[in-house]
Amino acid sequence: MSYSKRIEQVKNHLNYPKGLLAGQVAIITGSGQGIGAETARLFANEGAKVVVNDLDGKKAEDVAQQINESGGEAIGVKCDMMSDADINNLVKKAAEFGNGKIHIIVNNAGFTWDAVIHKTTDKMWDTMIAVHCTAPFKLIRGCAPYFRVRDGEPRVIINISSTSGIHGNAGQANYALAKAGVTGLTKAVAKEWGPQFGVRANTVAFGYILTRLTAAKELGGAVQLADGSKIAIGIPKGQGAKKNEEGNKPIPDIPLGRPGTATEAASSILAVASPLFSYVNGQTIMVTGGRNM
Ligand SMILES: NC(=O)c1ccc[n+]([C@@H]2O[C@H](COP(=O)([O-])OP(=O)(O)OC[C@H]3O[C@@H](n4cnc5c(N)ncnc54)[C@H](O)[C@@H]3O)[C@@H](O)[C@H]2O)c1
């Protein structure tokens, strides 16, 4: 039986024939590509109205357009999650699109700015905290009026972390700290908005997922900040990414022997957002193929 047929059967069995997220409005940050874009597509397939957003407005528009053309509902919003004005505009647009309701936030936007400790500048340090901790906090705070409600409908917040935030990583002190930070934010939200409003908050921490972030640095992937500075992202040749792409050799410290795909990563976010996880709250779910057990 095909995968999609099996999923269809499960949904009908669970009594969600219109999709696991039918009628819910979801903001997914950094969803112009990679894990965020896949999450947007999977959420839309499950009946969610999706607010696609990205630093790169054109990419956000393209993902939203694809979703709309394939029968889903989405809008694309250009938004730098490090800009207060952009966050306010994102919340406003999402609430308009959702007729006054927002049900799901996936704080996914992010990038790395790697250096060994003695070469990490204040700007590299501050930027990682700004994008991975301050931005999710400000989006959650901005959405408070839509989450601190009792209308019987589900509300879920998912913050994206990394194994670097759980175990640390040489050359990523700034990213490791910031990705550790969001796990505390998640738990605070779960404790503050759970009891009265039933809001669930969880962290999903990824290992090695094949996206632009982990592609060879030599391919030229970059993030441009508002001040014009350009940050190269990716993994330099000769490190982890290359082995798999060029040789398909098993990666010894990943029990499944391979990196995950963006679709596999996004599927785990969908699972956490879905009613199947209705009693999972305040947790950090590791999506790593078994790495770092
Ligand atoms: N790929 C991995 O192996 C991996 C592992 C652990 C954690 N993560 C995390 O997963 C998330 C998604 O990463 P990805 O692998 O899909 O990377 P990606 O580079 O493919 O996509 C990230 C997207 O976020 C956007 N973005 C970055 N800064 C932004 C900002 N300030 N405002 C709005 N959008 C912004 C980028 O433009 C890009 O489209 C990130 O938080 C990343 O740290 C990824």
Side-chain angles (χ1 to χ4, degrees):
M1 188 187 304
S2 75
Y3 179 72
S4 56
K5 189 122 198 229
R6 225 171 67 226
I7 296 281
E8 218 41 56
Q9 276 194 346
V10 173
K11 279 193 294 200
N12 288 334
H13 175 70
L14 293 168
N15 214 9
Y16 292 103
K18 291 187 179 157
L20 292 168
L21 305 179
Q24 296 189 44
V25 179
I27 300 177
I28 303 162
T29 70
S31 42
Q33 66 194 315
I35 297 167
E38 275 305 288
T39 305
R41 292 187 192 105
L42 293 185
F43 275 29
N45 285 346
E46 294 302 326
K49 292 176 73 168
V50 183
V51 181
V52 181
N53 108 278
D54 207 279
L55 254 185
D56 187 328
K58 166 85 173 68
K59 285 185 179 163
E61 288 294 345
D62 287 350
V63 172
Q65 193 184 333
Q66 277 170 13
I67 289 173
N68 288 319
E69 283 170 2
S70 51
E73 277 187 87
I75 52 168
V77 181
K78 176 175 163 49
C79 173
D80 178 355
M81 290 302 297
M82 292 185 283
S83 150
D84 290 359
D86 281 10
I87 292 178
N88 292 341
N89 181 51
L90 177 65
V91 175
K92 186 168 162 278
K93 289 256 167 67
E96 281 166 11
F97 182 54
N99 296 318
K101 298 210 175 194
I102 303 172
H103 300 86
I104 303 171
I105 300 170
V106 181
N107 275 309
N108 166 77
F111 54 93
T112 48
W113 200 356
D114 296 349
V116 287
I117 291 167
H118 59 286
K119 292 187 179 166
T120 300
T121 63
D122 286 355
K123 187 173 174 186
M124 293 166 89
W125 180 261
D126 293 342
T127 303
M128 285 296 97
I129 297 172
V131 72
H132 295 290
C133 298
T134 310
F137 167 70
K138 287 187 174 174
L139 181 57
I140 292 167
R141 185 179 62 184
C143 287
Y146 308 100
F147 277 70
R148 293 170 52 80
V149 288
R150 280 186 231 125
D151 58 6
E153 296 175 20
R155 297 290 189 292
V156 182
I157 291 171
I158 298 171
N159 293 322
I160 301 305
S161 184
S162 158
T163 44
S164 296
I166 312 294
H167 304 288
N169 196 17
Q172 289 193 322
N174 54 353
Y175 182 73
L177 171 111
K179 286 301 199 187
V182 291
T183 62
L185 174 63
T186 298
K187 290 177 189 189
V189 175
K191 288 186 173 175
E192 197 169 314
W193 290 358
Q196 265 184 289
F197 306 108
V199 174
R200 287 192 299 118
N202 288 291
T203 301
V204 176
F206 294 119
Y208 174 17
I209 308 295
L210 292 172
T211 66
R212 181 186 66 159
L213 198 70
T214 52
K217 203 163 198 167
E218 291 72 13
L219 292 174
V223 166
Q224 182 140 11
L225 301 184
D227 66 6
S229 45
K230 219 173 162 190
I231 300 163
I233 52 177
I235 300 181
K237 256 191 162 185
Q239 293 185 21
K242 188 174 168 250
K243 267 187 228 155
N244 192 276
E245 279 153 20
E246 291 185 0
N248 274 334
K249 286 189 215 143
I251 302 174
D253 68 336
I254 301 179
L256 284 181
R258 62 173 179 84
T261 64
T263 309
E264 287 176 309
S267 303
S268 69
I269 298 174
L270 170 61
V272 176
S274 82
L276 302 178
F277 268 54
S278 62
Y279 201 57
V280 178
N281 194 20
Q283 302 304 305
T284 301
I285 291 121
M286 308 289 297
V287 179
T288 63
R291 198 178 212 172
N292 298 123
M293 275 193 273

